[in-house]
Amino acid sequence: MDPGTGLIRLALFGSPVRHSLSPRIHAAFARQGGLDVVYEAVETLPGTLAEALARFAAAGGLGCNITLPLKREAVQLAATCSERVRLAEAANTLVHEGDERWRAENTDGTGCVGDLQADPRFRLAGARIVMLGAGGAAAGVLAALLEASPLEVVILNRTAGKAERLARRHGDLGRVSGRGLDDAAECGGFDLVINATSAGHGGGLPALDDGLFGTDGACYDLNYGVAAHPLRQWCLERRIHYRDGLGMLVGQAAESFRIWTGFEPDSQAVTRELRAGPGGG
Ligand code: NDP
């Protein structure tokens, strides 16, 4: 925070960030808390994050979010990192600790589990969960999911080796295994199916089998907006309870905002506001 003006400088680094909802979300949090915040989305290419952070720190930057494709680069540049960042090998939040020092955090798991727990149709404790995808987002949410005490988490990914490695890294937190997406037909009857693939951005679906869902099985999609349409439709046709990832997006942002400012925003109110707005889905 600028000691003279009280201004809090925050930012988002990644590419592309032009259409990001984050500036709108953080502006809403700032209004809730009566805080004077500038949150800027800065187009940043791979290999240039160190320079961008140095400029931001010199301008008084307090903290920033990191998005694709820089979540790994952020871990490498950070002086210290949380256990969740270590396990995920990805950071979505940096906190400026003075000079050239940044602390890395990952708030995706808190955002995802918080949103799941806000909907009584989802049960995590004792549940059998399958997560489709093993990219940065899947890695970011896995520790928080396992800490919610499910019976087991199975990760299915198009590239089997990535799912296996991700599961191995988290083996101390609970019962978790990784396999290829081709094995989907061999395992099934899950209480919760989490889609952490980016297939929806191309208008598609990850290969899905009806048998993946147990009786009353429900679906949580990390995607939101247009990218969420294919899976939402697929679930609607089968009367499967479905929720998109807009609440997670706001929840992870709220946790970052709390880390930077100490103020705990009402993320449900901001999610409702976004859903009511244009393109809110
Ligand atoms: P990554 O690029 O790191 O990973 C993409 C994942 O999707 C990989 O596991 C990849 O498999 C898989 N995949 C891509 N296309 C297909 C396909 N056609 N069929 C099956 N699997 C496929 O992306 P992220 O992990 O960062 O993001 C994943 C999704 O989550 C994105 O759509 C993103 O928008 C969303 N997201 C939402 C957030 C929220 O707050 N709601 C936060 C972060 C992300 P493979 O490894 O084989 O390539």
Side-chain angles (χ1 to χ4, degrees), residues 84 92 106-119 122-124 129-131 136-146 148 153 192-196 219-223 243-256 267-268 271:
R84 284 196 182 168
N92 73 341
N106 194 316
T107 63
D108 278 342
T110 300
C112 178
V113 168
D115 196 42
L116 281 161
Q117 288 173 337
D119 182 338
F122 294 112
R123 180 174 62 89
L124 296 179
I129 299 174
V130 64
M131 184 156 68
V141 304
L142 185 56
L145 276 179
L146 288 165
V153 177
L192 173 59
V193 176
I194 298 178
N195 177 32
C219 181
Y220 189 83
D221 191 354
L222 265 57
N223 292 280
R243 187 173 173 97
D244 71 18
L246 188 66
M248 169 179 162
L249 179 76
V250 178
Q252 59 80 29
E255 178 62 4
S256 299
S267 52
Q268 295 295 324
T271 306

Side-chain angles (χ1 to χ4, degrees), residues 29-168:
F29 294 162
R31 277 196 302 278
Q32 283 181 0
L35 297 169
D36 196 4
V37 168
V38 173
Y39 185 104
E40 209 183 340
V42 185
E43 197 65 32
T44 311
L45 294 173
T48 66
L49 181 60
E51 293 161 40
L53 286 176
R55 274 197 300 275
F56 180 55
L62 173 71
C64 55
N65 284 130
I66 304 293
T67 189
L68 283 177
L70 305 176
K71 288 184 173 186
R72 247 172 198 272
E73 195 171 323
V75 181
Q76 286 152 6
L77 292 173
T80 56
C81 68
S82 67
E83 180 62 6
R84 284 196 182 168
V85 169
R86 193 187 66 75
L87 288 169
E89 298 180 348
N92 73 341
T93 302
L94 292 177
V95 185
H96 189 216
E97 296 194 314
D99 301 326
E100 298 287 300
R101 284 179 63 85
W102 295 88
R103 185 176 92 237
E105 303 275 353
N106 194 316
T107 63
D108 278 342
T110 300
C112 178
V113 168
D115 196 42
L116 281 161
Q117 288 173 337
D119 182 338
R121 295 284 296 275
F122 294 112
R123 180 174 62 89
L124 296 179
R128 291 190 63 233
I129 299 174
V130 64
M131 184 156 68
L132 311 177
V141 304
L142 185 56
L145 276 179
L146 288 165
E147 284 162 14
S149 307
L151 187 63
E152 68 166 335
V153 177
V154 177
I155 307 161
L156 297 179
N157 193 47
R158 195 170 55 177
T159 312
K162 270 169 76 178
E164 288 159 11
R165 280 193 296 280
L166 184 58
R168 261 200 308 276

Side-chain angles (χ1 to χ4, degrees), residues 161-186:
K162 270 169 76 178
E164 288 159 11
R165 280 193 296 280
L166 184 58
R168 261 200 308 276
R169 286 209 302 278
H170 288 75
D172 289 345
L173 297 184
R175 194 167 146 200
V176 54
S177 58
R179 318 174 57 161
L181 199 51
D182 296 345
D183 292 344
E186 289 168 31

